[in-house]
Amino acid sequence: MEMSQTDGRMEGWLYTIRHNRFGLQFSRKRYFVLLDDNLKSFRSVPSDQNEEPYRRASLDCCIRVTDNGRESFNRKILFIFTLYNTTNHLDQLKLGASSPEEAAKWIRSLQDASQKKFPFPDCEFVSHAEKGLVKFNVSRRSRRKNSVDWTNYSSLNVETIAPDVIAPSPWKIFGCQNGLRLFKEAKDWDSRGRHWDDHPAIMAVGVIDGTSEDIFNTLMSFGPLRSEWDFSFYKGSVVEHLDGHTDIINVQLYSDWLPWGMNRRDLLLRRYWRREEDGTYVILCHSVYHKECPPKKGYVRACVKSGGYVVTPVNKAKQSLVKHMVAIDWRSWNLYTGASSSRSITIRVVERLAALREMFKAKQGHGFTEFVSGEFMDTKSCVSNINTRPLKIAAKRVDLELVKAEDMEKPSSARNSLMDLNDASDEFFDVPEPSEFDSFIDNSLFSQGHSQLKIPSPAGIVKKLQDLAINKKGYMDLQEVGMDEKTTFFYGATLQKDPNLTLPCSWATADPSTFLIRGDNYLQDQQKVKAKDTMMQMIGADWISSDKREDDLGGRLGGVVQEFAAKGGPEFFFIVNMQAPGSAMYSLALYYMLKTPLEDHPLLHSFVNGDDAYRNSRFKLIPHISKGSWIVKQSVGKKACLVGQALVVRYTRGKNYLELDIDVGSSTVARGVTNLVLGYLNNLVIEMAFLIQANTVEELPELLLGTCRLNYLDATKSVKER
């Protein structure tokens, strides 16, 4: 797909994703041009810059962009992203790109464009969501005081690739074979890596002559190309498509490479992927149970504790550093396959990386990029008949709000609405696709063995929608557990404190020197330094489960914040409430107290009294899994992120507190990470640090607001909110 990006102008072919009158999704090919804060849509490539667009919309600070991952549409695999108006969530535009790299470039450009029109603190903000009207009345004084230099924002948001946490590597090298370095994961009590577990985590590392995107597409594909590098792979299928970044897959393995007499093995995995800012692709897998895919006759189902790939571009993106890790229980009780034999099998599995490297080397210069792209688009054709529900309703969940939005009056806005880029006639008009697409058949739309499209009846569609509303997910992680119910508690003290760091399901403060922050000269040398102290004192934590979101915990009577407020003391509280969807809505609330006057801390004062857009541009979280499985450490990472740029945050300003209610489920990527973390929760030690990003010389050096350490949280011990 052609795309160009010059002098702030971004243009290329994209696909608009909409719902038709039956509630089913369809895509339409359009040529988009992004110039400054104007997004224009054309039905063909414009002949000159003055050509009138088919549709247009202007972007402002209220526009957010979310990454929805990959989906299949009419014989095409597209990488989806959505623009939506924070003042009116019905005002949104769903677009698709033909590759993850194109989607990433569009997302970054759209984010930068929307941030050019920035509302400043102390401005009069009047929002009429039902009409799409936004009015600003900004004083010059407040503009000078609190404005952000968005011309440098991109460089501020995308910092160096190096992690922001100081932690030793858990991997110890034990050999080199077929040009790959082989590592095993050493436990805390075995710093030299001399001892082996029964099912150790083993990693192979090598350099492949290919782009990270091509390697990612190859690893995700179950097509014919797989047989050229994966000697263990026999057949693969997608059991259920959960969202654009997560699916349930079933993989059957050949038996001829296994020890003699060992039965065939298959795997049922929850597969999650994401793309990092630097072009790194992360693919993570672990075993799950799914009601529609029981173990097959003639196969023994092995259990993958953790596994996956990390593909990082190197040498100006011409090559890729690839890490392949597996920790697996082969479920063999035969005496001849002891622990050493199981390790040998796992080592051979990760050596697939050498075959992948040789295949890329052999196919360079022979149209390999086009071949990989084409085969990847046919991935869905390998789906078995495990789930033959019409139109794969589970894979194409209908957004009921969008369906209703088509019958509503479009909002009249001071700017053009995003919905103006959609049109009812798009349902029947599309740009013809190249003939290469005609050879691919989307099995999710066609019945097996038939060439005619199966259109469900309206009654069938209604029934499927009802099933989606009442049925829970059809799979569950092998580590998932239920919840206990409790009735009464004191907000701010439902999670016990343990300074000795020994008790499970407890909290403590983390060592500030573990985290790296911007130093005095960061704007000149881009160097970060160890944090020395925190501005606030952590005084409590809540671990709550509920059937709904639990917002504004600081404002609830009987809590620690209101107890101090009743005394009329000078203390100010900062509350971070992370709300994660799972079998219930979990809320992890961390309470920090500032004993000195708020005015003594200018940056914090501006943040507390600023508007939401300003807060979204400054609040940072540094995560660190200090103890836990490799798959969780890899999924969470150790890099600081601007939370408000990735997730929806609701800010509540009380008399003596500011609470941040962070909706982790608002991002497909973050939701996938959270679901993974929840499955391993009681085996993790999680450390975090919070701070407000410093963007000017006057604001440097940065100072941590606070840190926390969460020891082996347990979902069953979360307090049930009624």
Side-chain angles (χ1 to χ4, degrees), residues 199 262 265 300-303 328-333 342 478:
H199 313 291
M262 188 173 177
R265 295 298 192 267
V300 174
R301 179 152 295 174
C303 177
I328 184 170
D329 179 0
W330 291 101
R331 298 287 173 89
S332 178
W333 300 98
S342 296
L478 298 184

Side-chain angles (χ1 to χ4, degrees), residues 628-646:
S629 171
W630 171 86
I631 189 173
V632 181
K633 291 181 179 179
Q634 191 63 57
S635 66
V636 174
K638 297 184 287 188
K639 195 75 184 71
C641 68
L642 288 167
V643 177
Q645 299 297 319

Side-chain angles (χ1 to χ4, degrees), residues 178-198:
N178 293 329
L180 303 174
R181 287 178 295 149
L182 300 178
F183 297 81
K184 71 176 292 288
E185 189 175 22
K187 302 302 180 182
D188 296 330
W189 49 267
D190 181 23
S191 60
R192 297 184 180 181
R194 294 175 296 180
H195 301 287
W196 290 83
D197 294 336
D198 291 339

Side-chain angles (χ1 to χ4, degrees), residues 564-583:
F564 275 87
K567 297 178 181 178
E571 296 85 2
F572 184 83
F573 293 87
F574 192 93
I575 308 167
V576 180
N577 181 13
M578 288 175 284
Q579 302 163 327
S583 55

Side-chain angles (χ1 to χ4, degrees), residues 139-265:
S139 66
R140 293 184 178 181
R141 180 178 179 181
S142 64
R143 182 184 297 266
R144 289 194 304 268
K145 178 180 178 181
N146 295 304
S147 64
V148 175
D149 182 6
W150 288 109
T151 59
N152 295 323
Y153 179 77
S154 295
S155 61
L156 295 173
N157 191 28
V158 185
E159 299 181 304
T160 56
I161 301 175
D164 291 320
V165 174
I166 300 175
S169 172
W171 294 102
K172 304 296 179 182
I173 190 168
F174 69 88
C176 184
Q177 193 167 329
N178 293 329
L180 303 174
R181 287 178 295 149
L182 300 178
F183 297 81
K184 71 176 292 288
E185 189 175 22
K187 302 302 180 182
D188 296 330
W189 49 267
D190 181 23
S191 60
R192 297 184 180 181
R194 294 175 296 180
H195 301 287
W196 290 83
D197 294 336
D198 291 339
H199 313 291
I202 297 175
M203 179 172 66
V205 180
V207 177
I208 297 179
D209 294 329
T211 65
S212 59
E213 182 180 8
D214 282 348
I215 295 173
F216 165 75
N217 287 339
T218 304
L219 294 173
M220 295 290 285
S221 172
F222 289 153
L225 185 64
R226 187 102 186 186
S227 63
E228 296 195 31
W229 66 273
D230 190 350
F231 55 80
S232 66
F233 177 85
Y234 168 61
K235 186 187 298 183
S237 60
V238 177
V239 177
E240 183 175 358
H241 182 78
L242 301 179
D243 57 49
H245 286 271
T246 313
D247 50 24
I248 305 296
I249 61 173
N250 179 233
V251 178
Q252 299 176 27
L253 305 180
Y254 277 117
S255 60
D256 53 5
W257 62 278
L258 296 171
W260 182 85
M262 188 173 177
N263 291 334
R264 292 178 293 179
R265 295 298 192 267

Side-chain angles (χ1 to χ4, degrees), residues 676-693:
L676 185 63
V677 170
L678 286 174
Y680 293 84
L681 196 57
N682 56 1
N683 293 314
L684 302 179
V685 174
I686 305 171
E687 298 184 10
M688 290 182 285
F690 306 101
L691 66 155
I692 299 172
Q693 181 169 278

Side-chain angles (χ1 to χ4, degrees), residues 440-486:
F440 300 111
I441 298 177
D442 185 357
N443 278 0
S444 66
L445 291 178
F446 286 84
S447 60
Q448 192 171 8
H450 295 79
S451 59
Q452 290 188 348
L453 185 64
K454 295 180 65 178
I455 302 295
S457 65
I461 295 176
V462 172
K463 184 179 185 302
K464 292 300 178 182
L465 292 176
Q466 292 174 342
D467 291 341
L468 286 176
I470 63 176
N471 289 341
K472 295 182 178 179
K473 62 183 181 180
Y475 77 97
M476 69 175 182
D477 295 343
L478 298 184
Q479 302 89 351
E480 271 192 4
V481 291
M483 298 184 302
D484 287 340
E485 293 190 1
K486 297 183 179 180

